[in-house]
């Protein structure tokens, strides 16, 4: 073939060579103008205004095809006409119902027939005339929505009964029978429990119990009374005992700061500041960050003299703690990690991507996307947060970083302190963080303690059940 030629081939492998022309296409071995013709079923060249109705070729400009039935003097492109099965109808006069029946255009379709929406309701077996506007369909009959309800296909008195499910499961009011999701149960002997998007019916261990508590992972549930107990982390606990996360604490002596527990914190004169604690004698809490009183910081107050806090332009800022990422190099972070200079034994080490940053009120505001947790390999699905560094540093050159923190609740703005660590993202830094984290005793001890607590609760539950069974 020459460069100005086109090869057309059919299904049998026969070929024909044509001279290339604009707006031309192949149909088998033939060459046609696609502006005036088309290739019908890849077999035959037809004009654009011709189609096939069954086995009959027709002109779409003067004929209309409805399911292999041909009508004359009506165009396929006429917007006023349409097909209803094998019938053709005028849209202003008729309406198609169930692809087979034609009804007047002013009426509505109910099953396979028409009905008057002003006097009738369309129910399961067809239209039914109503006497009141409050009457609605319930299966194949009508019910008064003011005094009755519809449960599946049956109507009921809403003052005496309750519907549990659309399948028609009903219970009488003011009795011991109640609804638990879509099923019924005897509330005198059992309790309805809802946890982890599941609904379960649990036997009462005592007559005054009205709630249940589930351990979740072990799927062990037990009943309790809300008047005397409450459920925390799958355990039934007395109202006299207060919990801080998974720890019991005393309000008079211990401190609970947003779920972080510190024993004898109040006895030592400490108070909460975010998730941390501080002593008023030596430190100051400002916007959930702890500062030493030696800094003479004014919290939420403007300095009396602006010249006292003004920093010369040529003076370099000192970066410490979480702000070390502002000035220190990759070599410093690797060396510090090797010598255990950073405490990476925290809840999570987040891989983040920095998308923007700016200075605001003497601090560095950074917008970043959380990608994954290096410790638990949890995927955050590109969660966007704003981080506030407690320092005014020059622009962070790293586009990716590792945020090591005890925080779990990430709202729109997160204020970091010296207990948090922000490292630049390098493969060598990530390797040393994971290597040091594996040696953290606190993580392993917490894991062992949590596992032992779950095993103990399961053994206690089984022992109590077996004891009750033997006594009976």
């Amino acid at each position: 073939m020459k460069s100005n030629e086109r090869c057309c081939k059919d299904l049998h492998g026969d070929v024909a060579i044509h001279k290339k022309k604009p707006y031309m296409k192949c149909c088998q071995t033939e060459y046609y103008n696609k502006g005036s013709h088309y290739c019908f079923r890849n077999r035959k060249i037809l004009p654009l205004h011709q189609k096939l109705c069954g086995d009959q070729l027709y002109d779409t400009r003067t004929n209309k095809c409805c399911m292999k039935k041909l009508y004359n003097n009506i165009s396929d492109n006429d917007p006023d006409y349409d097909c209803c099965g094998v019938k053709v109808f005028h849209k202003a006069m008729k309406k198609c119902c169930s692809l087979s029946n034609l009804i007047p255009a002013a009426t509505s379709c109910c099953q396979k027939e028409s009905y008057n929406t002003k006097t009738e309701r369309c129910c399961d077996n067809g239209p039914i005339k109503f006497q009141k506007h409050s009457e609605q369909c319930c299966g194949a009959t009508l019910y008064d929505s003011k005094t009755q309800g519809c449960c599946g296909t049956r109507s009921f008195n809403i003052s005496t009964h309750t519907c549990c499910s659309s399948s028609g499961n009903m219970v009488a009011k003011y009795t011991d029978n109640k609804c638990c999701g879509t099923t019924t149960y005897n509330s005198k002997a059992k309790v309805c429990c809802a946890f982890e998007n599941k609904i379960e019916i649990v036997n009462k261990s005592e007559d005054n119990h009205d709630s249940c508590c589930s351990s979740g992972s072990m799927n062990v549930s037990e009943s309790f009374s809300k008047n005397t107990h409450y459920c925390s982390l799958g355990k039934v606990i007395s109202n006299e005992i207060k919990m801080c996360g998974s720890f019991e604490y005393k309000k008079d002596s211990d401190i609970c700061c947003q779920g972080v527990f510190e024993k004898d914190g109040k006895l030592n004169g400490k108070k909460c500041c975010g998730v941390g604690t501080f002593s008023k004698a030596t430190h100051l809490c400002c916007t959930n960050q702890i500062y030493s009183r030696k800094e003479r910081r004014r919290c939420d107050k403007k300095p009396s003299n602006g010249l006292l806090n003004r920093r010369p332009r040529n003076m370099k800022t000192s970066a410490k703690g979480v702000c070390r990422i502002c000035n220190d190099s990759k070599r410093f972070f690797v060396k510090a990690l090797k010598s255990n200079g950073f405490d990476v034994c925290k809840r999570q080490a987040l891989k983040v991507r920095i998308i923007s940053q700016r200075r605001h009120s003497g601090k560095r505001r950074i917008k970043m996307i959380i990608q994954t947790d290096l410790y638990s390999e949890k995927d955050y699905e590109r969660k966007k947060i704003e981080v506030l560094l407690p320092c005014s540093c020059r622009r962070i050159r790293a586009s990716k970083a590792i945020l090591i923190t005890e925080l779990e609740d990430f709202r729109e703005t997160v204020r970091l302190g010296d207990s948090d660590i922000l490292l630049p993202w390098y493969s060598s830094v990530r390797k040393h963080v994971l290597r040091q984290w594996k040696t953290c005793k606190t993580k392993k001890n917490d894991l062992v303690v949590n596992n032992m607590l779950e095993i103990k609760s399961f053994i206690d539950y089984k022992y109590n059940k077996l004891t009750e069974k033997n006594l009976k």
Side-chain angles (χ1 to χ4, degrees), residues 238-252:
S238 174
N239 287 340
E240 298 176 358
I241 300 174
K242 301 299 179 182
M243 298 294 292
C244 181
S246 58
F247 298 95
E248 294 184 13
Y249 85 105
K250 300 176 183 178
K251 278 191 171 183
D252 297 332

Side-chain angles (χ1 to χ4, degrees), residues 322-323 325-326 362-366 387-393 396 414-416 422:
V322 73
C323 296
I325 194 172
C326 300
K363 293 178 175 59
R364 172 66 58 179
R365 285 187 177 270
I366 307 170
V387 167
L388 183 64
L389 290 185
C391 55
S392 175
C393 63
I396 299 173
V414 179
R415 293 176 172 85
L416 300 182
L422 195 60

Side-chain angles (χ1 to χ4, degrees), residues 190-443:
K190 299 182 179 182
V191 177
C192 179
C193 303
F195 54 90
E196 294 182 358
N197 299 324
K198 296 179 182 179
I199 295 177
E200 184 181 348
I201 298 173
V202 177
N203 293 326
K204 287 184 178 181
S205 55
E206 293 185 19
D207 293 338
N208 64 336
H209 287 182
D210 54 5
S211 301
C212 73
C213 185
S214 171
S215 62
S217 60
M218 290 187 291
N219 201 21
V220 178
S221 304
E222 56 180 315
S223 62
F224 69 95
S225 174
K226 285 185 177 179
N227 295 328
T228 57
H229 293 76
Y230 67 97
C231 181
S232 176
L233 299 176
K235 297 179 183 178
V236 177
I237 301 169
S238 174
N239 287 340
E240 298 176 358
I241 300 174
K242 301 299 179 182
M243 298 294 292
C244 181
S246 58
F247 298 95
E248 294 184 13
Y249 85 105
K250 300 176 183 178
K251 278 191 171 183
D252 297 332
S253 58
D254 304 329
I255 286 183
C256 182
C257 300
Q258 298 181 15
V260 179
F261 171 75
E262 183 174 336
K263 188 171 180 62
D264 297 332
K266 284 188 178 179
L267 294 179
N268 297 328
K270 292 188 177 181
K271 289 198 172 185
C272 287
C273 182
V275 295
T277 60
F278 73 104
S279 175
K280 272 192 169 184
T282 57
H283 290 80
L284 174 72
C285 179
C286 184
T287 61
N288 288 335
Q289 296 294 323
I290 301 172
Y291 302 97
S292 174
R293 286 192 177 275
K294 293 180 180 179
E295 298 180 24
R296 297 182 180 179
R297 174 183 289 272
R298 293 192 175 194
C299 189
D300 299 330
K301 292 181 180 180
K302 292 182 179 180
S304 57
N305 187 355
L307 295 174
L308 295 176
N309 294 328
R310 185 174 295 175
R311 177 172 55 85
R313 290 185 179 180
N314 297 330
M315 184 183 295
K316 290 186 178 180
T317 56
S318 60
K320 297 180 180 179
V322 73
C323 296
R324 282 191 178 276
I325 194 172
C326 300
N327 297 327
D328 291 328
S329 62
K330 169 187 171 182
R331 184 180 298 176
F332 162 78
F333 289 105
V334 174
K335 187 176 180 180
L337 286 167
K338 284 183 178 180
S339 60
N340 296 328
F342 290 108
D343 180 17
V344 301
C345 299
K346 300 185 184 296
R347 289 184 189 272
Q348 46 192 350
L350 304 173
K351 178 184 177 182
V352 299
R353 183 165 65 85
I354 299 172
I355 54 177
S356 67
Q357 51 180 308
R358 62 188 178 92
R359 282 181 58 186
H360 179 73
S361 301
K363 293 178 175 59
R364 172 66 58 179
R365 285 187 177 270
I366 307 170
K367 287 186 178 180
M368 56 176 61
I369 297 175
I370 305 177
Q371 295 176 340
T372 55
D373 179 11
L374 299 179
Y375 290 165
S376 64
E377 297 183 357
K378 176 184 176 183
D379 188 6
Y380 276 83
E381 297 181 354
R382 298 175 59 83
K383 179 180 178 64
K384 288 186 178 181
I385 62 168
E386 186 178 44
V387 167
L388 183 64
L389 290 185
C391 55
S392 175
C393 63
R394 61 190 179 188
R395 185 175 181 84
I396 299 173
R397 288 175 291 178
S399 60
K400 293 181 181 179
I402 302 175
L403 174 58
I404 305 175
T405 179
E406 292 282 359
L407 297 175
E408 285 185 313
D409 185 15
F410 295 101
R411 297 185 175 88
E412 292 182 357
T413 302
V414 179
R415 293 176 172 85
L416 300 182
D418 287 341
S419 61
D420 303 306
I421 303 171
L422 195 60
L423 308 174
W425 176 266
Y426 297 108
S427 58
S428 55
V429 172
R430 179 185 63 85
K431 181 178 68 176
H432 286 293
V433 168
L434 293 177
R435 182 180 296 172
Q436 187 176 339
W437 177 74
K438 289 179 181 179
T439 63
C440 295
K441 293 182 180 180
T442 55
K443 288 287 179 183

Side-chain angles (χ1 to χ4, degrees), residues 87-283:
K87 299 177 183 178
V88 66
F89 67 96
H90 196 284
K91 291 182 180 180
M93 304 294 293
K94 297 287 184 179
K95 185 184 292 184
C96 185
C97 189
S98 300
L99 294 178
S100 59
N101 297 332
L102 290 173
I103 61 174
T107 60
S108 296
C109 185
C110 180
Q111 309 300 336
K112 294 183 179 180
E113 53 185 311
S114 63
Y115 80 106
N116 190 342
T117 56
K118 295 181 180 180
T119 60
E120 294 175 314
R121 297 276 188 254
C122 180
C123 299
D124 289 352
N125 293 340
I128 302 176
K129 288 189 177 181
F130 63 85
Q131 303 297 327
K132 303 176 184 178
H133 286 285
S134 59
E135 290 181 337
Q136 303 294 332
C137 284
C138 184
T141 59
L142 295 176
Y143 76 100
D144 192 345
S145 59
K146 288 185 177 180
T147 58
Q148 294 178 309
C150 181
C151 191
T153 57
R154 295 187 299 164
S155 58
F156 66 95
N157 191 334
I158 58 177
S159 63
T160 60
H161 287 76
T162 302
C163 181
C164 296
S165 66
S166 58
S167 61
N169 198 4
M170 290 187 294
V171 293
K173 289 184 176 180
Y174 315 114
T175 63
D176 293 333
N177 292 329
K178 305 291 181 184
C179 291
C180 183
T182 58
T183 59
T184 60
Y185 74 102
N186 189 340
S187 60
K188 194 171 183 179
K190 299 182 179 182
V191 177
C192 179
C193 303
F195 54 90
E196 294 182 358
N197 299 324
K198 296 179 182 179
I199 295 177
E200 184 181 348
I201 298 173
V202 177
N203 293 326
K204 287 184 178 181
S205 55
E206 293 185 19
D207 293 338
N208 64 336
H209 287 182
D210 54 5
S211 301
C212 73
C213 185
S214 171
S215 62
S217 60
M218 290 187 291
N219 201 21
V220 178
S221 304
E222 56 180 315
S223 62
F224 69 95
S225 174
K226 285 185 177 179
N227 295 328
T228 57
H229 293 76
Y230 67 97
C231 181
S232 176
L233 299 176
K235 297 179 183 178
V236 177
I237 301 169
S238 174
N239 287 340
E240 298 176 358
I241 300 174
K242 301 299 179 182
M243 298 294 292
C244 181
S246 58
F247 298 95
E248 294 184 13
Y249 85 105
K250 300 176 183 178
K251 278 191 171 183
D252 297 332
S253 58
D254 304 329
I255 286 183
C256 182
C257 300
Q258 298 181 15
V260 179
F261 171 75
E262 183 174 336
K263 188 171 180 62
D264 297 332
K266 284 188 178 179
L267 294 179
N268 297 328
K270 292 188 177 181
K271 289 198 172 185
C272 287
C273 182
V275 295
T277 60
F278 73 104
S279 175
K280 272 192 169 184
T282 57
H283 290 80

